Amino acid sequence: MASGSDSGRGMWSNRWVFVLAAAGSAVGLGNIWKFPYIAGENGGGAFVLIYLVCVGIVGIPIMICEVMLGRTARSSPIHAMRKLADKAGVSRHWAFIGWMGVVAGFLILSYYAVIAGWALNYVLLTAQGTFTAISAEGAALAYNDFLASPIQLMFWHALFMVLTIWIVGRGVSRGLESAIRWFMPLLFVLLVVLLGYSFTSAGFEQGLAFMFDTRFEAVSGETWLVALGQAFFTLSLGMGAMMAYGSYLPENISIGKTVVIIALLDTFVAVAAGVVIFPIVFANGLEAGQGPGLMFITIPLAFGHLPMGALFGTIFFMLVSFAAITSAISLTEPALSYLVEEYNAKRKRVAISLGVMCWILGLGTVFSFNIWSTGYIVGQMTVFDFVDYLSQNIMLPLGGMLIAVFAVWVLPQTAVGEQLGIKSGFLSVLWKLLGGVVAPVCVLVIFVYTVLPLFSNLA
Ligand code: TRP
């Protein structure tokens, strides 16, 4: 992919390689696992609509900002922010954005690898025919049994981490690029097959109604915060991943158009996952708001009742695992490229150290599903809930807001205009309005209404 075996200045060979890499980062557990279960917990339709609005008016402008900052500076996020702050003649404290990103990436990866480990285990379970003709209760039981075992979770968590670190340590190689070329389209095909299944399931109308009928009674400030956090999470925004990827983007490629393509691909996968999962939920009398287990119960159930389900189910979970790896890579990239640049360290060694630390931190999430399941650290939150909430709902939006403010109001706009190919006055106004006002103000308003009261409740 970008740069061979170091994080030095390589370049994507063309626009589609960048689209694949960025889409590889964006499409992951956030789309297939997280989006449906969060939508389920937040009442469905109205949440989905708010989420789409967040992607459109906050996510896309901020992704443009991030990619643009990366391409302008051509270095890892922390260094990029330092360079750009110098260029703009402002304090180097703006590098705080980069630092917070490194921490956020680390926190996210710590639990991301745990859940991705579940997907790896489900490759094996499905291949063994565990789910053939299984009942809804049986599928739920298999899931609960698995989660009750910290040893099993630790094993799969470790396996996923080793795979990720192995790839990252070797340098994000050509091998991965060609793999993405095959796997991403295959994932789309299997999603379409599953769409066909859910279309014929008895719960289809009810599932669709759940996803698209907007019942605003259920919406609160918290709904907005969760939808906003999800928009950041699913587009890999707010922590410098897209900045790092943007730093390898050739000059002549239109950032705006490319970002819109990535956002559309990502949104398609998330919505398709929801349309697949909810009909199965209703046809089997399952609970829409059951939380993180949603995908791991409904999908095996669906494949369990399809011809050659064990085969296709196995492929499906392989694809999910692969989508998770291409996302996990981007979670390590800001920290890794910084350490390599700053200390001239060996990429492999840095990768292994990061992986070990992250695995240890991930134990908090592993135990949240069994021995610490009632060990709340804040309010009713387990370690997993807390790490997830802090990174996704607080750090990513905060990072994204600062990135947008910096890109529009701090950085000299002549350079920005050139980067983005803004030629008309209209585009320039649109850029200032969306990137400089709408996106940051939305984040700020949602923060003031939901996060601040939360802290005063805790105090
Ligand atoms: N977007 C990925 C997903 O949906 C997760 C991810 C990868 C991510 N890189 C990120 C989330 C950077 C936030 C920031 O699964």
Side-chain angles (χ1 to χ4, degrees), residues 24-31 105 108 112 230 232-239 241-242 266 323-324 326-328 330-331 396:
S25 165
V27 175
L29 296 174
N31 308 60
I108 294 174
Y112 203 83
Q230 175 63 15
F232 275 89
F233 186 88
T234 191
L235 295 173
S236 303
L237 295 180
M239 52 77 71
M242 287 298 165
D266 186 75
T326 57
S327 301
S330 72
L331 284 165
L396 298 182

Side-chain angles (χ1 to χ4, degrees), residues 25 62 66 77-78 97-109 232 236-244 328-335 391 395-397 399-400 403:
S25 165
I62 289 180
E66 256 196 57
I78 294 176
I97 297 175
W99 285 107
M100 188 169 65
V102 166
V103 176
F106 200 71
L107 289 176
I108 294 174
L109 184 60
F232 275 89
S236 303
L237 295 180
M239 52 77 71
M242 287 298 165
M243 216 188 277
I329 287 169
S330 72
L331 284 165
T332 65
E333 193 58 27
S391 53
M395 296 171 94
L396 298 182
I403 284 171

Side-chain angles (χ1 to χ4, degrees), residues 397-420:
L398 199 61
M401 178 175 76
L402 293 174
I403 284 171
V405 168
F406 184 86
V408 179
W409 302 118
V410 180
L411 207 61
Q413 291 301 294
T414 39
V416 173
E418 266 167 42
Q419 277 292 336
L420 296 179

Side-chain angles (χ1 to χ4, degrees), residues 382-448:
T382 60
V383 175
F384 161 66
D385 295 330
F386 180 69
V387 173
D388 180 25
Y389 191 87
L390 180 68
S391 53
Q392 164 164 332
N393 295 343
I394 313 273
M395 296 171 94
L396 298 182
L398 199 61
M401 178 175 76
L402 293 174
I403 284 171
V405 168
F406 184 86
V408 179
W409 302 118
V410 180
L411 207 61
Q413 291 301 294
T414 39
V416 173
E418 266 167 42
Q419 277 292 336
L420 296 179
I422 296 178
K423 294 199 190 75
S424 66
F426 170 72
L427 279 180
S428 156
V429 171
L430 191 69
W431 157 248
K432 288 228 162 75
L433 191 69
L434 280 181
V437 181
V438 175
V441 168
C442 283
V443 176
L444 194 69
V445 169
I446 293 173
F447 256 71
V448 169

Side-chain angles (χ1 to χ4, degrees), residues 102-275:
V102 166
V103 176
F106 200 71
L107 289 176
I108 294 174
L109 184 60
S110 83
Y111 74 81
Y112 203 83
V114 175
I115 313 294
W118 301 358
L120 285 178
N121 179 37
Y122 268 64
V123 173
L124 187 70
L125 290 178
T126 320
Q128 289 168 338
T130 312
F131 303 112
T132 306
I134 201 163
S135 65
E137 298 75 44
L141 203 65
Y143 170 78
N144 290 330
D145 278 353
F146 171 51
L147 254 60
S149 160
I151 301 291
Q152 282 202 52
L153 297 195
M154 276 156 76
F155 170 77
W156 293 103
H157 170 39
L159 185 64
F160 181 82
M161 200 61 100
V162 168
L163 283 173
T164 304
I165 294 306
W166 181 66
I167 295 176
V168 166
R170 295 190 54 183
V172 183
S173 65
R174 294 207 175 276
L176 194 79
E177 180 183 325
S178 45
I180 300 181
R181 263 182 225 268
W182 284 98
F183 287 139
M184 297 293 281
L186 245 173
L187 185 66
F188 280 98
V189 171
L190 271 193
L191 269 179
V192 173
V193 171
L194 280 172
L195 279 174
Y197 174 77
S198 84
F199 185 70
T200 54
S201 104
F204 187 68
E205 268 172 39
Q206 206 184 342
L208 221 55
F210 181 77
M211 281 274 294
F212 297 111
D213 281 359
T214 44
R215 295 163 301 272
F216 284 102
E217 314 84 73
V219 174
S220 66
E222 180 77 12
T223 318
W224 282 91
L225 185 69
V226 174
L228 183 76
Q230 175 63 15
F232 275 89
F233 186 88
T234 191
L235 295 173
S236 303
L237 295 180
M239 52 77 71
M242 287 298 165
M243 216 188 277
Y245 278 23
S247 75
Y248 308 120
L249 188 66
E251 289 304 330
N252 56 359
I253 292 173
S254 156
I255 294 180
K257 281 186 207 145
T258 315
V259 163
V260 170
I261 297 174
I262 296 165
L264 286 177
L265 278 174
D266 186 75
T267 305
F268 169 79
V269 176
V271 172
V275 174

